[in-house]
Amino acid sequence: MKAYGRALLIAALLAGVAGPAVARKDKGEAPISQGQNQGSSAEPDNPYPSTYKAYPGRPTAIRGATIFDGEGGRIDNGVVFLSEGKVTAIGGPDTPIPADIAVFDGTGKYVTPGVIDIHSHLGDYPSPGVDANSDGNEATSAVTPHVWAEHSIWPQDAGFSRALANGGVTSLQILPGSANLFGGRSVTLKNVPARTMQGMKFPGAPYGLKMACGENPKRVYGSKGREPSTRMGNMAVNRQTWIKAREYQKKRAAGKDQTRDLGMETLADVLEGKIMVHNHCYRADEMANVIDMSKEFGYKVAAFHHAVEAYKIADLLRDNGICAALWGDWYGFKMEAYDGIKENIPLVHRAGACAIVHSDDQDGIQRLNQEAAKALGAGRRMGIDISDEVAWTWLAINPARAMGIDQQTGSLKVGKMADVVLWNGNPFSTYTRPEKVWIDGALLYDSANPKLRPVVDFELGQIGAGDVK
């Protein structure tokens, strides 16, 4: 278990934060009808429900800080008030603060919504990084939509606590790997310590479907003498699979009897708009092909991930309402990543498309603010003037929208989850670190309090990796 502010953890366990997976629905979720119109392929209602419950917090105010609200707004010398797990008030220095609450002085510091990473493999490729823990790719078939990333997640992965303490990450999407054309379902987590995956599962967040273009599927299966071994093979297998999924979906919708198929259930839910598509894709031409394929079969791509050539088709992304989840300057490590440029993110942003900074890496997730800063600087050097507060949308509301959780988190708005980071300086500075991190209004990391510095079993005694962060 994580030694993570032991009093908080014990209190939360007693309150049932990370207790056994109880068969109950997330609050606010509509039940799925299993009446006669569902036929024999009726799916069980929410078989792996979230048991997440916020850690205990207390009414808290931060005053005197520079605030980036996550949607492009900025307040100098601002005040943020948190209570009952929500943002209760946000405004200028005259914002009323109730008496007898915890007040933190943010003078010279910055407040932002918690960082959201749309592309992570924490828990599925955990630390220690050994073969026994490598559970992110079901590389046995090019089509595996039946697997769910959440069923590989190890909550004790040290990467979760490092992402919180070093990167201010409060929510993250865990995706299967990219060996397959259809990699399986993703899951969104709150970045809190828990005994079970269900105890971290973001209540009510929609599932995602991980898909992949290009070199990875054709290399993995072509090397085995199996289809696909070419890009045209990739597209053909994709299309044939969607044809089968459409047939399954039509029968299910009509209530016709058919044997349950876990993979087809996932794809049918995509076709009905219940599951969001997250597509690993580097080249502009392949992204354009996928956009056409999505129109052929009637589904929508939420985001292209990695997308090092997104700048070439930024207008297509804008016109089709597709986000691009990107690195600051990670490219050139294989042929399809060769034509990347450091100005990718600001060019996509300038075109009016949705730009996101993501990690895909257990170390990069600890420095997403610096990834965004690199892109911001590259854009400014070529004459694209983007303000700091607008650039923070790449780490906040934009990923929240692409993950379908923007009504709950992703910005500092009254009524939203109190997922908040107090930085000890400008968060786009290399020298800045999170000073305090709140999740649902509970203080889960405090750089000044050793009892609120997360350390897991596999970090104990590893100076620099765990005991000292």
Side-chain angles (χ1 to χ4, degrees):
M1 289 299 296
K2 295 181 178 179
Y4 197 112
R6 194 162 300 277
L8 272 180
L9 182 54
I10 291 172
L13 291 175
L14 290 174
V17 169
V22 180
R24 59 182 174 87
K25 294 186 328 99
D26 294 338
K27 184 179 181 181
E29 281 191 295
I32 300 172
S33 171
Q34 297 193 44
Q36 292 182 347
N37 65 329
Q38 292 293 308
S40 60
S41 61
E43 302 171 28
D45 180 17
N46 196 19
Y48 302 93
S50 170
T51 59
Y52 172 78
K53 184 178 179 182
Y55 276 77
R58 59 174 177 164
T60 300
I62 309 165
R63 66 182 178 190
T66 300
I67 299 171
F68 298 161
D69 71 7
E71 294 188 19
R74 173 180 179 137
I75 303 172
D76 293 313
N77 193 21
V79 171
V80 179
F81 175 39
L82 320 174
S83 66
E84 298 183 356
K86 305 292 184 183
V87 177
T88 306
I90 179 171
D94 297 331
T95 302
I97 301 175
D100 300 324
I101 68 168
V103 178
F104 294 95
D105 183 7
T107 303
K109 303 172 185 178
Y110 285 68
V111 172
T112 69
V115 174
I116 299 174
D117 190 2
I118 196 173
H119 191 120
S120 177
H121 300 292
L122 293 183
D124 282 0
Y125 287 115
S127 301
V130 297
D131 287 345
N133 287 343
S134 179
D135 292 310
N137 262 317
E138 183 56 43
T140 53
S141 170
V143 179
T144 60
H146 56 287
V147 302
W148 295 21
E150 66 192 65
H151 295 146
S152 284
I153 288 172
W154 186 39
Q156 291 189 61
D157 181 3
F160 289 120
S161 58
R162 293 178 186 177
L164 178 74
N166 297 333
V169 174
T170 55
S171 299
L172 62 167
Q173 179 175 221
I174 310 302
L175 296 149
S178 55
N180 304 334
L181 296 169
F182 294 84
R185 290 200 195 197
S186 69
V187 66
T188 297
L189 304 179
K190 300 282 287 189
N191 193 14
V192 299
R195 295 179 297 171
T196 65
M197 170 276 297
Q198 292 95 324
M200 302 176 74
K201 199 170 180 178
F202 194 116
Y207 282 111
L209 169 66
K210 172 68 177 293
M211 296 186 67
C213 300
E215 290 184 28
N216 285 14
K218 78 187 194 80
R219 170 180 51 81
V220 171
Y221 295 99
S223 66
K224 299 176 181 179
R226 294 159 55 186
E227 190 180 34
S229 64
T230 61
R231 281 182 165 84
M232 60 183 174
N234 283 352
M235 284 295 291
V237 174
N238 275 332
R239 296 176 70 206
Q240 196 63 50
T241 303
W242 283 121
I243 289 170
K244 294 178 181 177
R246 177 59 75 191
E247 293 173 352
Y248 186 91
Q249 184 268 333
K250 287 180 178 179
K251 288 183 179 180
R252 186 179 73 173
K256 295 181 179 180
D257 286 341
Q258 60 183 337
T259 302
R260 279 190 68 197
D261 183 308
L262 293 178
M264 290 297 108
E265 285 180 359
T266 291
L267 299 184
D269 282 351
V270 170
L271 294 172
E272 293 177 1
K274 300 173 185 175
I275 291 179
M276 310 179 82
V277 173
H278 296 271
N279 207 310
H280 160 118
C281 217
Y282 287 76
R283 284 184 3 187
D285 58 309
E286 289 189 276
M287 287 184 272
N289 283 338
V290 169
I291 291 172
D292 284 344
M293 180 170 62
S294 71
K295 293 176 181 178
E296 179 183 7
F297 293 101
Y299 69 91
K300 187 179 187 306
V301 178
F304 286 115
H305 292 231
H306 312 334
V308 298
E309 294 186 13
Y311 65 95
K312 297 180 180 181
I313 56 164
D315 57 331
L316 284 180
L317 299 176
R318 177 198 65 221
D319 294 346
N320 287 278
I322 300 172
C323 293
L326 310 166
W327 294 299
D329 60 357
W330 195 4
Y331 58 87
F333 49 90
K334 55 181 176 177
M335 280 303 301
E336 65 185 3
Y338 184 78
D339 212 7
I341 59 174
K342 294 180 180 180
E343 297 82 6
N344 194 18
I345 293 171
L347 283 170
V348 169
H349 177 93
R350 185 177 68 175
C354 166
I356 295 168
V357 177
H358 75 334
S359 77
D360 189 31
D361 181 73
Q362 72 275 10
D363 296 317
I365 196 173
Q366 301 175 49
R367 289 177 285 277
L368 284 170
N369 59 314
Q370 294 179 28
E371 284 293 299
K374 289 187 287 187
L376 185 60
R380 287 173 177 171
R381 286 190 292 273
M382 73 172 296
I384 302 176
D385 187 15
I386 301 171
S387 67
D388 288 357
E389 58 267 26
V390 169
W392 201 261
T393 63
W394 305 341
L395 298 169
I397 197 62
N398 286 1
R401 286 172 178 155
M403 293 159 63
I405 57 174
D406 54 299
Q407 297 303 305
Q408 293 80 36
T409 191
S411 60
L412 300 178
K413 297 293 185 182
V414 173
K416 283 194 173 185
M417 293 171 169
D419 297 344
V420 181
V421 183
L422 175 64
W423 304 83
N424 62 10
N426 187 314
F428 290 118
S429 167
T430 305
Y431 303 102
T432 293
R433 290 176 52 86
E435 183 174 298
K436 292 177 174 63
V437 182
W438 291 264
I439 297 182
D440 283 315
L443 182 59
L444 292 185
Y445 173 70
D446 184 349
S447 62
N449 183 354
K451 293 182 179 180
L452 284 175
R453 292 191 180 190
V455 178
V456 303
D457 293 346
F458 287 98
E459 292 180 301
L460 292 173
Q462 304 299 315
I463 302 301
D467 287 349
V468 177
K469 282 188 166 63

